Structures are given as structure tokens and as C-alpha cells.
Amino acid sequence: PTMPLAPKYTWTQDDDSCTVSVTLSSAAGVTRNTRVECTDAMVKVTCPPYFLQLDLFGDVYEKTSRATIQPGVVHVKCTKQQAGAWPQLCAVGDAADIKARRAAALEKKQQREQVASEDAREKKRQDDDYVFHKQWDLEKDERRVVERLAAIHKKEAEEELYAWADGAEGRKCDTDENDPVDTYFDKQLVEGGDLEVKEGVVPLPGTYHKKTARTAAIERSWKAEPSSDFDIRQKDKETAEKEKLKEEEEFREARAKIQEEMEQKEEDKRRAEQLQEDEEKDRKEREVIRQQQQKRAMEAAAREKEAREREAAAAEQTPDSAEGSAGEGDEATVQGTGAGDAQGSEEVD
């Protein structure tokens, strides 16, 4: 990209204002390509390939500054905030301070433009609202005319009926012809609703709302700013703040609920883990008890087996002892018998 060129300029001043004249070439001096921006502390002119930015010596009123764009030249007239002559056009001092001053002035301008844009939207809304209520007034006025005619016919019929009844009964008729006819829409009229009827002039319809009061409506129509009486931005702001507070409260409640659910889940998890640990501990204890019982049973079985073995061994030893005792007895019996026989023989002899 090519670097922009700095155009030539001159300036003049008086105590209340200063005027900057920027000279552009014929090729670049096309009005549709020229852009002029002014803040309280700066004037900027852009017309490719030219670019000029001037940080003014003093502050000016951006709202009352005016630019005149002509082929080949641009005139920018700025109103000074403080009356008096400037020693020079451009500001002097530290570059950082000048840049900060320029940024602050630009931010102020953006804030003013934002407020002006909001005012323009509110003004359009109020104008549309006025048209709506004005059409409503026309429709109500048509109803008012119809109701008034019906009320007048009803009144005339009642007067004729009462006059006939009073005449038939010989009483004096006490009807008041000047009794006004008030309808529902007559009672809804606000101040300034009735107009004096002049010959050859069609009166405007009645005013049924403050927004369509003629004098105030005409005064408001000449102003660019919206009417503060019907400005809904403050109400909308309060409503938005209430909705924001409500959303924050709902967010806090939802977060607290989520936190509570997480804590409950953690508690359930902790209880499940504790229950699992208790079950594992009980299972180990039961396993230890089962092993101990199994060990005692094995020991008992071993002792019982050992006892049976001892009994069997003892039983095996007992028959052998009995046989030895029986042999010794037989021998003694034989010996005794032999001795007896010998003694008998001796006696026989």
C-alpha cells in the first residue's frame, strides 16, 4: 500500500472560532470521496490519496463545527470553547499526552453519537405512538358522533313520551331542554379536546390521550429530542435491570442446585465407597474366620485320626498279649495233670 500524502492547508481565526482550509488536487477533490471528522480536540480530513489529521491547540465544540466540501478545497469551521486567540493551530507537548487527549475526545464523541442515536430511536417511537393514538382518536370520535346522535334521539323520544304521559294525567311537564348529552367518549376527552366550531371550518376530532393533545403535540413535533413525559427508556432500563437481577438470581440458584447435586453425588460416592470398604472388610473377616474354622476342623480331624491310629495300634497289641497268657496256662495245666497222674499211680502202687 502507498503512503498517504499530506495536503496543504491554511487557517484563520478570531476570538470565537477558527477556520481550516485544506487544498486538494483536482483529481482527488471529488466530494463523494472526501470525509471530514471533527472532535473536541481534532480535525481529520480524508480524501485518497490525501490524509490530514490536526490536533488543535485548544478545545472546540464538535456539535457546532461545520465543514464545507467543494471541488479542490475543504473548509472546516470550529467554534472555540474558550474565547481568545491561539498562538498556533496545532497542539504542542508530549506525544503520549496529545494521543491520550485525542482518544478521550474521540470517546466523548462516540458517547454523544450513541446518545443521539438512542434519542432518534426514541423520537421515532414516540412519533409512531402519536400516529397510533391519533388514529385511535379518529375512531373514537366517529363512535362519539354516533353515540351522541343516538343519545339525542333517545332524549327527544323520552321527552315526547314524558310530555304525552304528563298531558294525559294532567301534570306539568318538567323537561329541561338545556340538559347536556354526555356519552362515554365525551367523558374520556382530555384537556384541549373540544374546539370552537367556526363556520366553514371542519373541527378536528377530539383528543382522548395526553400524547395527542394538540398544543403539546405541535410543540413536540418541532423538537428533535424525544419528550421526557413519554420516554420509556428509563422504564426499559429498570425492566432490563430487573430481568438481569432475576437472571443472576436464577443463575445463582441453578449454580447452588448444581453444587448441591455435586455434593450429594460426592456424598453418595463416598458412602458407596465406604459401604464397599465395609463389605470388603466383612468379607476378609469372614474369610479369616472360615480359614480359622477350617484349620481347627483339620486339627480336630488330625487329632481324631491320630487317636484312631493309637486305638488301632493298641488293639493290635492286645490280642498278642492274650495269646501269650493262654499258652502259659496250658503248659501249667499239662504239668499239673502230669503231676497228678504220677501221684495217682504212686497211690495205686
Side-chain angles (χ1 to χ4, degrees), residues 77-88:
K77 185 176 182 179
C78 304
T79 305
K80 297 178 180 179
Q81 292 188 9
Q82 293 182 354
W86 292 351
Q88 58 188 20

Side-chain angles (χ1 to χ4, degrees), residues 260-271:
E260 184 178 355
E261 291 177 355
M262 292 178 63
E263 291 178 355
Q264 185 65 31
K265 288 181 179 179
E266 290 292 334
E267 182 67 19
D268 294 342
K269 183 178 179 181
R270 187 186 63 79
R271 290 180 179 178

Side-chain angles (χ1 to χ4, degrees), residues 123-133:
K123 175 66 175 175
K124 184 179 183 302
R125 189 201 65 80
Q126 291 185 7
D127 291 343
D128 295 342
D129 200 37
Y130 169 79
V131 173
F132 169 78
H133 283 87

Side-chain angles (χ1 to χ4, degrees), residues 155-175 177:
K155 181 180 178 182
E156 291 176 353
E158 289 178 350
E159 289 177 354
E160 292 178 0
L161 178 62
Y162 292 153
W164 174 81
D166 292 342
E169 296 180 2
R171 292 179 301 187
K172 183 179 179 182
C173 182
D174 295 333
T175 58
E177 297 181 356

Side-chain angles (χ1 to χ4, degrees), residues 25-26 86 206 208 280 327-328 330:
S25 65
S26 59
W86 292 351
Y208 296 91
E280 184 67 20
E328 293 177 356
D330 291 341

Side-chain angles (χ1 to χ4, degrees), residues 197-218:
V197 180
K198 297 181 181 180
E199 186 177 357
V201 177
V202 179
L204 294 173
T207 300
Y208 296 91
H209 200 281
K210 284 179 62 179
K211 294 179 180 179
T212 55
R214 293 183 184 87
T215 304
I218 291 173

